[in-house]
Amino acid sequence: MAGTKGKQTVRDMLLSLGLIGIMAGVIYIFIPHDDSEPPLKRVDYRVELLTARRAASYPVAAPEGLPGTWKATSVRYDGAEFDAWHLGFHDPEGQYVAVEQSTQRAAAFIDSASQGAAATKATERIGDRTWVRYKGDKYDALVLRGNGSTTVVTGTASFGQLVRMAGALKTS
Protein backbone atom coordinates (compact mmCIF):
# COMPACT_ATOMS: atom_id res chain seq x y z
CA MET A 1 0.00 0.00 0.00
CA ALA A 2 2.85 2.39 0.75
CA GLY A 3 4.05 2.27 -2.87
CA THR A 4 0.72 3.32 -4.40
CA LYS A 5 0.22 6.19 -1.93
CA GLY A 6 3.25 8.11 -3.39
CA LYS A 7 2.06 7.60 -6.98
CA GLN A 8 -1.43 8.69 -6.10
CA THR A 9 -0.13 11.90 -4.47
CA VAL A 10 1.93 12.85 -7.55
CA ARG A 11 -1.01 12.02 -9.83
CA ASP A 12 -3.40 14.14 -7.71
CA MET A 13 -0.92 17.03 -7.71
CA LEU A 14 -0.60 16.91 -11.52
CA LEU A 15 -4.38 16.78 -11.92
CA SER A 16 -4.74 19.78 -9.57
CA LEU A 17 -2.12 21.76 -11.54
CA GLY A 18 -3.90 20.92 -14.79
CA LEU A 19 -7.23 22.04 -13.37
CA ILE A 20 -5.69 25.29 -12.09
CA GLY A 21 -4.17 25.92 -15.54
CA ILE A 22 -7.52 25.36 -17.25
CA MET A 23 -9.28 27.71 -14.82
CA ALA A 24 -6.61 30.39 -15.33
CA GLY A 25 -7.10 30.10 -19.10
CA VAL A 26 -10.88 30.46 -18.79
CA ILE A 27 -10.50 33.49 -16.52
CA TYR A 28 -8.01 35.09 -18.93
CA ILE A 29 -10.39 34.61 -21.87
CA PHE A 30 -13.44 36.08 -20.12
CA ILE A 31 -11.83 39.03 -18.32
CA PRO A 32 -11.50 41.99 -20.71
CA HIS A 33 -8.01 43.39 -21.17
CA ASP A 34 -6.98 46.34 -23.26
CA ASP A 35 -3.34 46.64 -24.32
CA SER A 36 -3.75 50.05 -25.93
CA GLU A 37 -2.31 53.13 -24.25
CA PRO A 38 -4.74 55.15 -22.17
CA PRO A 39 -5.76 58.48 -23.73
CA LEU A 40 -3.58 61.41 -22.72
CA LYS A 41 -5.19 63.86 -20.37
CA ARG A 42 -5.41 67.46 -21.60
CA VAL A 43 -4.02 70.01 -19.13
CA ASP A 44 -5.08 73.62 -18.72
CA TYR A 45 -1.92 75.71 -18.61
CA ARG A 46 -3.44 79.18 -18.23
CA VAL A 47 -2.66 79.62 -14.51
CA GLU A 48 0.94 78.41 -14.87
CA LEU A 49 1.38 80.67 -17.90
CA LEU A 50 0.18 83.74 -16.00
CA THR A 51 2.46 82.84 -13.08
CA ALA A 52 5.45 82.36 -15.36
CA ARG A 53 4.80 85.61 -17.22
CA ARG A 54 4.72 87.52 -13.93
CA ALA A 55 7.81 85.86 -12.46
CA ALA A 56 10.18 85.25 -15.38
CA SER A 57 12.89 87.69 -16.37
CA TYR A 58 12.04 87.26 -20.07
CA PRO A 59 8.86 87.25 -22.20
CA VAL A 60 7.35 83.76 -21.73
CA ALA A 61 6.00 82.20 -24.94
CA ALA A 62 2.87 80.10 -25.40
CA PRO A 63 0.90 79.23 -28.53
CA GLU A 64 -2.22 81.06 -29.59
CA GLY A 65 -4.62 80.01 -32.31
CA LEU A 66 -3.69 76.33 -32.60
CA PRO A 67 -6.66 74.08 -33.38
CA GLY A 68 -8.15 71.94 -30.61
CA THR A 69 -6.48 68.87 -32.12
CA TRP A 70 -3.26 70.07 -30.44
CA LYS A 71 -3.50 68.71 -26.89
CA ALA A 72 -1.52 70.32 -24.06
CA THR A 73 -0.25 67.46 -21.89
CA SER A 74 2.33 68.96 -19.53
CA VAL A 75 3.27 72.34 -18.08
CA ARG A 76 5.73 73.61 -15.48
CA TYR A 77 7.61 76.72 -14.51
CA ASP A 78 10.64 76.66 -12.21
CA GLY A 79 11.79 80.11 -11.14
CA ALA A 80 14.59 78.67 -9.01
CA GLU A 81 16.27 76.93 -11.93
CA PHE A 82 17.06 79.50 -14.64
CA ASP A 83 13.42 80.65 -14.96
CA ALA A 84 12.70 77.40 -16.83
CA TRP A 85 9.39 77.22 -18.71
CA HIS A 86 8.06 73.98 -20.25
CA LEU A 87 4.86 73.41 -22.18
CA GLY A 88 4.32 70.00 -23.81
CA PHE A 89 1.78 69.07 -26.50
CA HIS A 90 0.69 66.16 -28.62
CA ASP A 91 0.09 67.29 -32.18
CA PRO A 92 -2.78 66.04 -34.39
CA GLU A 93 -0.60 63.14 -35.62
CA GLY A 94 0.11 62.00 -32.05
CA GLN A 95 3.69 63.28 -32.00
CA TYR A 96 5.25 65.22 -29.13
CA VAL A 97 6.04 68.94 -29.36
CA ALA A 98 7.46 70.99 -26.48
CA VAL A 99 8.13 74.67 -25.95
CA GLU A 100 11.11 75.14 -23.65
CA GLN A 101 12.50 78.47 -22.46
CA SER A 102 15.24 79.27 -20.00
CA THR A 103 17.92 81.75 -18.98
CA GLN A 104 20.40 78.87 -18.58
CA ARG A 105 23.59 79.01 -20.64
CA ALA A 106 22.36 78.44 -24.21
CA ALA A 107 24.57 75.49 -25.20
CA ALA A 108 23.71 73.42 -22.11
CA PHE A 109 20.02 74.30 -22.28
CA ILE A 110 19.66 73.49 -25.99
CA ASP A 111 21.46 70.16 -25.54
CA SER A 112 19.18 69.21 -22.65
CA ALA A 113 15.91 70.45 -24.18
CA SER A 114 16.56 68.88 -27.59
CA GLN A 115 17.84 65.56 -26.22
CA GLY A 116 21.27 66.10 -27.77
CA ALA A 117 20.24 67.39 -31.21
CA ALA A 118 22.96 69.17 -33.21
CA ALA A 119 22.73 72.49 -35.02
CA THR A 120 22.40 72.38 -38.78
CA LYS A 121 23.20 75.15 -41.24
CA ALA A 122 19.50 75.47 -42.06
CA THR A 123 17.33 78.24 -40.64
CA GLU A 124 13.60 78.92 -40.67
CA ARG A 125 12.18 82.40 -41.07
CA ILE A 126 9.00 82.42 -38.98
CA GLY A 127 7.30 85.80 -38.78
CA ASP A 128 10.02 88.37 -38.15
CA ARG A 129 12.39 85.93 -36.42
CA THR A 130 15.01 83.50 -37.69
CA TRP A 131 15.13 80.12 -35.96
CA VAL A 132 18.05 77.67 -36.27
CA ARG A 133 17.22 74.04 -37.09
CA TYR A 134 18.65 71.26 -34.95
CA LYS A 135 18.58 67.59 -35.96
CA GLY A 136 18.80 64.70 -33.51
CA ASP A 137 18.29 60.98 -33.07
CA LYS A 138 15.40 61.42 -30.62
CA TYR A 139 14.16 64.99 -31.13
CA ASP A 140 14.49 67.66 -33.76
CA ALA A 141 14.31 71.31 -32.73
CA LEU A 142 14.02 74.94 -33.69
CA VAL A 143 16.06 77.35 -31.56
CA LEU A 144 15.70 81.09 -31.05
CA ARG A 145 18.07 83.12 -28.89
CA GLY A 146 17.34 86.58 -27.58
CA ASN A 147 15.31 88.65 -25.12
CA GLY A 148 17.40 87.31 -22.22
CA SER A 149 16.46 83.69 -22.85
CA THR A 150 16.70 80.79 -25.26
CA THR A 151 13.53 79.33 -26.76
CA VAL A 152 13.52 75.75 -28.05
CA VAL A 153 10.59 74.17 -29.89
CA THR A 154 11.43 70.49 -29.91
CA GLY A 155 9.98 67.00 -30.10
CA THR A 156 9.32 63.93 -32.20
CA ALA A 157 7.04 65.80 -34.60
CA SER A 158 8.06 66.76 -38.12
CA PHE A 159 9.84 70.04 -38.80
CA GLY A 160 6.57 71.23 -40.37
CA GLN A 161 4.76 70.78 -37.06
CA LEU A 162 7.64 72.38 -35.12
CA VAL A 163 7.43 75.37 -37.48
CA ARG A 164 3.68 75.53 -36.95
CA MET A 165 4.16 75.62 -33.16
CA ALA A 166 6.92 78.23 -33.37
CA GLY A 167 4.71 80.37 -35.60
CA ALA A 168 1.87 80.22 -33.06
CA LEU A 169 4.02 81.39 -30.12
CA LYS A 170 3.08 84.71 -28.56
CA THR A 171 4.60 86.42 -25.55
CA SER A 172 1.69 88.57 -24.38
Side-chain angles (χ1 to χ4, degrees):
M1 229 15 168
T4 61
K5 180 74 173 158
K7 288 182 182 178
Q8 193 174 14
T9 304
V10 171
R11 185 176 143 261
D12 290 345
M13 200 168 23
L14 290 175
L15 286 172
S16 294
L17 283 172
L19 185 60
I20 290 170
I22 290 170
M23 290 305 295
V26 168
I27 290 170
Y28 179 78
I29 289 171
F30 288 106
I31 292 180
H33 43 278
D34 185 7
D35 294 334
S36 65
E37 292 184 27
L40 291 170
K41 184 179 172 189
R42 184 181 301 267
V43 299
D44 185 356
Y45 59 88
R46 292 176 294 185
V47 172
E48 286 87 350
L49 178 60
L50 289 172
T51 301
R53 285 184 170 164
R54 286 186 194 127
S57 60
Y58 57 86
V60 174
E64 289 181 11
L66 287 176
T69 53
W70 287 74
K71 184 186 285 188
T73 57
S74 60
V75 61
R76 70 183 162 274
Y77 172 73
D78 186 352
E81 286 290 319
F82 307 108
D83 286 338
W85 168 247
H86 161 85
L87 184 56
F89 283 83
H90 268 77
D91 76 357
E93 285 116 37
Q95 296 299 312
Y96 182 65
V97 178
V99 176
E100 308 279 356
Q101 282 184 287
S102 178
T103 58
Q104 183 180 9
R105 191 173 57 84
F109 175 65
I110 294 166
D111 186 61
S112 172
S114 70
Q115 304 275 324
T120 67
K121 294 182 184 201
T123 59
E124 284 290 330
R125 186 79 178 156
I126 303 169
D128 60 349
R129 297 179 250 162
T130 302
W131 297 70
V132 177
R133 279 187 176 211
Y134 279 64
K135 184 82 174 136
D137 293 333
K138 294 180 183 180
Y139 287 0
D140 293 329
L142 293 170
V143 175
L144 179 67
R145 297 182 196 194
N147 292 330
S149 69
T150 303
T151 303
V152 179
V153 175
T154 187
T156 58
S158 67
F159 270 115
Q161 293 293 71
L162 298 179
V163 167
R164 189 165 185 193
M165 174 60 80
L169 292 180
K170 304 289 184 243
T171 55
S172 58

